Every structure is written in C-alpha cells, then in structure tokens.
Amino acid sequence: MTQTVLILGPSGRIGRHAKKAFERAGWNIRCFDRKTDDLMTAAQGVDVIVNGWNPPYTEWAQTVPALTADVIAAAKQSGATVIIPGNVYVFGPDMPDRIGPDTPHRAAHPLGMVRRDLETAYREAGVKTILLRAGDFLDDEPSGNWFDMVIAKSAAKGVLSYPGGADIPHAWAWLPDLTASMVALAEKRDQLPIFTDIAFPGFTLSGEQLTHVCAQALGRPIRLKKMSWLPFFLARPFWKMAKHLLEMRYLWDTSHTLDGAALDAILPERQQTDLTSALGLALQHQIHPDQPVAGREVAI
C-alpha cells in the first residue's frame, strides 16, 4: 500500500528536498498551503508529517509554540508520525565536541530555549516523533543559509568569508542526504521508539578544510577571509535579526560534530554524497558559467 506524507513548508529548504525524496521513494505527497488549507483536515489519513515550518528568528518566540501545538494536535488526531529537522541550538555554548542522542540540553539563550521547549513538547505529547538533528545546511540552490548568503557570497572572486575560527570543526548537512535519511527513517518508523532523537553526521569541516574542498570543487584558487561581525553590531539597533545572529555566533567558535553511530545502526546502507560533489553543487549558483576556470591549483 502506498504511504502518504504531508509536507509543511513545501517551498522551504527542508520541504522542497523532502518532497523530492519522498516522491523518489514512491510516496503520495500532500503539500500544505497555509493560505488555504486547514491542518487538521490536511493531516487526515496521512502516515507521516514532515514539519518543515521554520519562521524567521525574529518570530520564533511568538510563533513556534503555537505551530508546535498545532502539529502535535494534528498528529494525535491522524495517528501520523511527525518528522522534525533538529539543530544543535539546544546544547548551548558549553556543548561537547561530539554530539549524540544523550548529550544534555543546556542552552539558556533565547533561540536555544525555544528549541528546547519545542523538543520537550514533542517528547511529552505521546505522538510518534522522529527528530533528525543536523548542522548548518548546504543546499543545491540559494536558500538563505549561511553558506550561500555569507560564506560563499564572494566565491566568484576567489574568496570565502568565514564567520569563525578557521581551524574549528563545524557541522554541515547536505540537504538531499538529510531528507533521504528522513524517508528511510519514516519507512522504519514502526521499529523506532515513540520519540527518536537521532543525529545526522553530514560533514564536519573547519574553515580551512571547507576552503580547500571548495577550491577542489571549483578547480580554481580560493582563499579564506575572516568575516567581520562589526556590521551586525552596528545594525543591531535597527535590524531585529542582527541580535539573533549575534546570539548564535558561538557556533562558529565552538568545535562540534554530530555522532552518526545511531543513524548508521538503523540505516546501515545509508548513502552519503561525496563532499566535493556536494560543495560543487552548493557553489554552482555563485559562479557564472562563462567565467574562466583556473587549473586544478588549490589555494587556502
């Protein structure tokens, strides 16, 4: 019997890739339209709900609790399993180098607390939930993430602008791989606990390593430049987003990697895209196709 997934936020980063991944696996797809659809009605008869809703940071405190309650209510009524893309915000600045399902949630900053409350709500709700935790996103088209908006913005000029220490490991998730794992976990949901908190390992790279692989992917020299945070401080009085970006600055200066052992135990045949290929696709919209490409020299 063909299974059905309801995708919330189908035009967003997670939703767009989840739609493709579930379609490839032969699922029936329902895409939720917040302008016209009723969530309780849309969720009737579905097997899985992918919660791809992610309001801007500036709206998290006001909107995330209500959105969470709505999804939980819809899942309770329909009996659907909810899949949530998790992040590392819940651990706070004192998080360990290696993050797994048992890592304590100690965040005390505002965005981290919103995410802690979200996860607690699902843990206590009694609905089947799969939380797949990942690092910063890498996408195959510009989608407003740190990589395409800041780091690789000047890649065409041979420069990566990096927000943190060049030698500090940082976790990344290639979205096609992340959503492929969502599908695989959805298809094994009956074998999982009622609340599954699982880490998606993705890629862990320092700024120096990221630069090196980007140069390989592009076949041209790339140098790493330290990004200045001064404009964010100056903009804070009149740009609400600035204070939230500054709040999360610690992630770029705190070593962290996601432990994939639990995911690999559940999905032993899980495939991972080659890093150079993934970064080549993530960079493809930063480089004009008519620009001359240097030889295979690599510079960092």
Side-chain angles (χ1 to χ4, degrees):
M1 175 187 263
T2 303
Q3 302 181 89
T4 300
V5 59
L6 173 64
I7 298 177
L8 311 181
S11 62
R13 286 172 291 210
I14 288 290
R16 176 169 55 86
H17 285 283
K19 181 175 182 289
K20 292 179 183 178
F22 278 95
E23 281 178 340
R24 282 194 295 268
W27 286 57
N28 288 327
I29 310 296
R30 290 187 194 173
C31 292
F32 187 81
D33 186 335
R34 294 180 66 179
K35 294 180 180 179
T36 60
D37 293 343
D38 173 75
L39 182 57
M40 300 297 279
T41 302
Q44 290 179 7
V46 306
D47 300 285
V48 169
I49 299 171
V50 174
N51 187 1
W53 282 340
N54 188 28
Y57 283 166
T58 54
E59 300 175 12
W60 272 25
Q62 292 74 34
T63 62
V64 169
L67 292 174
T68 300
D70 288 346
V71 176
I72 288 172
K76 282 184 174 180
Q77 175 185 270
S78 66
T81 296
V82 182
I83 299 181
I84 311 167
N87 57 35
V88 299
Y89 296 10
V90 297
F91 306 115
D94 296 327
M95 61 183 174
D97 288 343
R98 197 161 192 85
I99 294 168
D102 298 325
T103 302
H105 296 186
R106 293 175 176 162
H109 55 88
L111 295 180
M113 289 300 297
V114 170
R115 292 297 305 195
R116 285 184 65 177
D117 290 344
L118 177 152
E119 294 188 17
T120 298
Y122 279 102
R123 284 180 186 273
E124 296 178 350
V127 298
K128 193 75 173 252
T129 303
I130 300 169
L131 187 143
L132 187 57
R133 195 179 305 281
D136 269 309
F137 294 156
L138 292 169
D139 203 346
D140 58 6
E141 66 177 56
S143 59
N145 57 67
W146 267 97
F147 185 80
D148 65 60
M149 288 192 70
V150 177
I151 295 174
K153 186 177 180 180
S154 298
K157 300 177 182 177
V159 175
L160 293 188
S161 182
Y162 200 69
D167 60 344
I168 295 173
H170 187 87
W172 296 94
W174 176 236
L175 284 175
D177 287 353
L178 179 68
T179 49
S181 289
M182 287 183 179
V183 176
L185 289 169
E187 293 180 339
K188 291 194 173 187
R189 64 191 182 279
D190 292 340
Q191 304 169 33
L192 300 177
I194 191 163
F195 187 92
T196 299
D197 178 348
I198 198 156
F200 178 80
F203 306 116
T204 300
L205 301 163
S206 68
E208 293 170 341
Q209 292 169 327
L210 179 67
T211 306
H212 181 80
V213 181
C214 284
Q216 290 182 321
L218 293 176
R220 65 180 68 193
I222 298 283
R223 65 182 178 88
L224 186 64
K225 181 183 77 172
K226 177 80 169 179
M227 187 201 85
S228 173
W229 286 89
L230 179 60
F232 295 88
F233 284 101
L234 296 176
R236 188 164 46 179
F238 52 86
W239 183 38
K240 292 181 179 180
M241 182 66 78
K243 73 172 184 178
H244 297 295
L245 297 175
L246 289 167
E247 175 188 336
M248 302 309 301
R249 179 180 178 177
Y250 73 88
L251 286 174
W252 299 100
D253 291 309
T254 304
S255 172
H256 61 282
T257 186
L258 288 139
D259 187 342
L263 183 63
D264 290 338
I266 298 170
L267 305 177
E269 298 180 0
R270 181 179 68 88
Q271 301 294 309
Q272 179 165 295
T273 302
D274 172 73
L275 173 59
T276 304
S277 300
L279 284 173
L281 290 168
L283 288 162
Q284 64 185 335
H285 297 281
Q286 306 289 346
I287 307 295
H288 191 281
D290 294 332
Q291 283 183 295
V293 178
R296 299 300 293 181
E297 176 188 1
V298 174
I300 61 173

